[in-house]
Amino acid sequence: MAQAPRRPGRRALGAGLIAAGLVVSATACAASEDAGGGEAEDGPVTISFQWWGNDERAVLTEEALDLFEEQNPGVTVETSFSAIDAYIPKLATQIASGSQPDLFLIPMESVKEYTEKGATSDLSEYIGDVISVDDIPEATQKIGQIDGTFYGFTLGTATYAWAYDPIAFEEAGVEAPAAGFTWDDLIDAGEKIRAASGGTKAAISDPGGYIAHYATWLEQNDKQLFTEEGELGFDEDDLEGWFDLMQELRDSGASTDPQTTSTLDQSMQNSGFALGKSAGEFIAASITGAFVDTIGEEHVALAPYPSDTDRLGLSMAGTNVAAVSPESDHPEVAAKLLDFLINDPEAAEILGLTRGIPLNTTNYEALAPTLTGGDKIVNDFVLEYQPEFSDPSPLAPPGVSTLPADFTLAYENIIFGQQSNEEAAKALYATFESAIS
């Protein structure tokens, strides 16, 4: 893996392991005296920062953190990252033991749960002083709020999208996907792409095991995972309907084989699209640049998901919530790092759209005309389709942080013949009900 340049003071933990798809260990580091109450620190300070993502995001994040250290002599930021599938159980273990890093990212489905568990700090005392919100829209500020209290900030707003290879579609004689492209159109495209590739390439990396893709399909059908009241916004028949649709994709050859599907984890090294096993993949649009770097800009374009309704099912939502641990010895320094990541113009220039659309509108307006490559592809996609986006979904209720993994496991049971669609839907729906009860 290409590593970001580091000054001698930079101490990254477990560097290089992510290239092999391994979890990078995080260590929450205690340093000198408490920074509580906004008092100045005496002597060097070390804080820890943990996030998930791919190699591209890691390199750019490390570059931005080098700048933060240069701006704050005596402060060292120790870092850790992994792919999202490894990150979620790791963070759950850390929070259960009270060992979460000083600054860490929370998946959106776990924000309420971890806040109720006391794993996040109330940042209200830092707002306007350490953390500026002057250039952050009020609606965006609310992404990290619960009952009006600041418990964190998302590091970017983003949407999901269908990343596809326009050359593969053209060579197969298939019209490029756009608004109005249906699931039946995807099946038809899959048959033609299989034929044009001699049977070696699917149209899409099988999306069936990802709860986020299921949520998009629900939104297309005017439903949602969870309601504002924290109840389920779908029923058992919806789950079975999703699994039936996915079976149609598999049976037609439009999606990847079970072995390939079971390794998908949103990393480049296991991506069916990046490996040439499929002509496209449903992704978080913020990682488009990683595909551009891996397979070339001419092979990457973005489109909405297929839909059988007049709804795209997409929205601009928070990609995460960055929170400060209440166990931190240096909460003000951690809050200062959070402010840097969302407000510093040089950091915005380094990070581009790797974490989504920047929160700070001034930074985004300055950045947009300079975007190239994957970032420009994402920006153009958002500008074209955002008028048709839905409102962001409500925050997930407490107790659901393991549901993404449960969803993936249920789908693997289907594709490897251990359960029928009906059996998997019934068992998984019971798991959803139990999680929120």
Side-chain angles (χ1 to χ4, degrees):
M1 179 188 78
Q3 296 291 324
R6 297 181 176 88
R7 297 182 294 104
R10 159 77 60 222
R11 286 181 285 174
L13 305 178
L17 293 183
I18 191 64
L22 302 178
V23 179
V24 182
S25 299
T27 305
C29 300
S32 55
E33 299 176 3
D34 192 0
E39 297 178 358
E41 297 278 355
D42 291 326
V45 170
T46 297
I47 61 171
S48 51
F49 174 38
Q50 178 174 291
W51 74 92
W52 72 82
N54 53 34
D55 291 354
E56 180 206 32
R57 180 176 293 174
V59 169
L60 295 177
T61 299
E62 293 287 357
E63 185 178 344
L65 294 178
D66 284 343
L67 174 63
F68 177 77
E69 290 181 347
E70 290 169 6
Q71 293 178 358
N72 297 272
V75 175
T76 297
V77 182
E78 291 191 337
T79 62
S80 171
F81 79 102
S82 64
I84 184 65
D85 289 355
Y87 185 95
I88 290 175
K90 175 188 176 67
L91 180 61
T93 299
Q94 291 173 322
I95 287 177
S97 63
S99 62
Q100 63 268 31
D102 297 278
L103 182 67
F104 60 100
L105 299 193
I106 305 175
M108 295 303 299
E109 67 268 12
S110 302
V111 174
K112 277 191 175 180
E113 177 179 352
Y114 288 159
T115 296
E116 287 195 3
K117 287 182 176 180
T120 60
S121 299
D122 180 352
L123 301 179
S124 301
E125 67 178 297
Y126 302 120
I127 303 301
D129 181 13
V130 178
I131 301 174
S132 173
V133 295
D134 292 346
D135 291 323
I136 301 175
E138 186 175 344
T140 308
Q141 294 179 37
K142 290 181 179 178
I143 292 172
Q145 294 180 27
I146 296 177
D147 296 329
T149 299
F150 285 94
Y151 289 100
F153 288 84
T154 186
L155 295 187
T157 59
T159 186
Y160 282 87
W162 179 2
Y164 70 96
D165 181 354
I167 295 176
F169 274 72
E170 181 179 2
E171 290 177 346
V174 179
E175 184 176 352
F181 200 91
T182 68
W183 290 97
D184 282 341
D185 290 334
L186 175 56
I187 291 172
D188 179 64
E191 293 171 349
K192 293 177 180 178
I193 289 171
R194 281 285 185 192
S197 65
T200 63
K201 183 171 291 190
I204 193 81
S205 297
D206 192 330
Y210 275 91
I211 194 171
H213 305 326
Y214 172 61
T216 299
W217 180 76
L218 284 176
E219 180 63 37
Q220 291 177 351
N221 293 280
D222 202 20
K223 296 187 177 185
Q224 54 192 180
L225 281 177
F226 307 106
T227 67
E228 290 283 0
E229 296 73 32
E231 301 295 327
L232 295 181
F234 65 96
D235 57 32
E236 187 178 315
D237 287 342
D238 294 312
L239 268 176
E240 188 174 352
W242 170 252
F243 292 148
D244 286 346
L245 175 61
M246 295 300 102
Q247 183 171 344
E248 289 186 57
L249 297 184
R250 295 195 310 275
D251 290 349
S252 69
S255 58
T256 46
D257 63 89
Q259 288 71 29
T260 298
T261 300
S262 67
T263 65
L264 299 174
D265 61 2
Q266 302 182 58
S267 70
M268 290 302 102
Q269 59 263 33
N270 292 320
S271 162
F273 185 29
L275 294 173
K277 296 180 180 181
S278 69
E281 201 158 287
F282 297 162
I283 66 167
S286 58
I287 68 170
T288 301
F291 285 101
V292 168
D293 291 344
T294 303
I295 62 178
E297 186 173 349
E298 70 277 14
H299 291 287
V300 181
L302 294 182
Y305 288 25
S307 177
D308 293 334
T309 71
D310 60 357
R311 301 168 67 97
L312 299 181
L314 301 174
S315 64
M316 289 299 296
T319 58
N320 52 59
V321 166
V324 174
S325 169
E327 306 299 323
S328 174
D329 289 328
H330 307 286
E332 185 170 339
V333 179
K336 191 172 185 179
L337 174 57
L338 176 52
D339 175 77
F340 169 84
L341 290 170
I342 60 180
N343 285 314
D344 187 274
E346 291 183 80
E349 185 177 353
I350 292 170
L351 294 170
L353 303 191
T354 188
R355 294 189 182 278
I357 303 296
L359 272 63
N360 185 300
T361 55
T362 300
N363 289 347
Y364 180 44
E365 288 168 2
L367 185 65
T370 70
L371 297 175
T372 60
D375 284 349
K376 186 178 187 304
I377 293 172
V378 174
N379 193 56
D380 290 347
F381 173 77
V382 170
L383 289 176
E384 180 175 359
Y385 289 107
Q386 191 170 10
E388 301 177 60
F389 284 2
S390 306
D391 293 334
S393 299
L395 278 177
V400 303
S401 60
T402 63
L403 287 180
D406 294 330
F407 200 97
T408 300
L409 179 59
Y411 192 65
E412 289 182 351
N413 286 340
I414 291 173
I415 63 177
F416 287 109
Q418 296 172 316
Q419 285 183 310
S420 68
N421 296 343
E422 182 180 3
E423 291 168 340
K426 184 178 182 65
L428 183 57
Y429 191 75
T431 300
F432 270 83
E433 289 185 308
S434 176
I436 67 170
S437 61

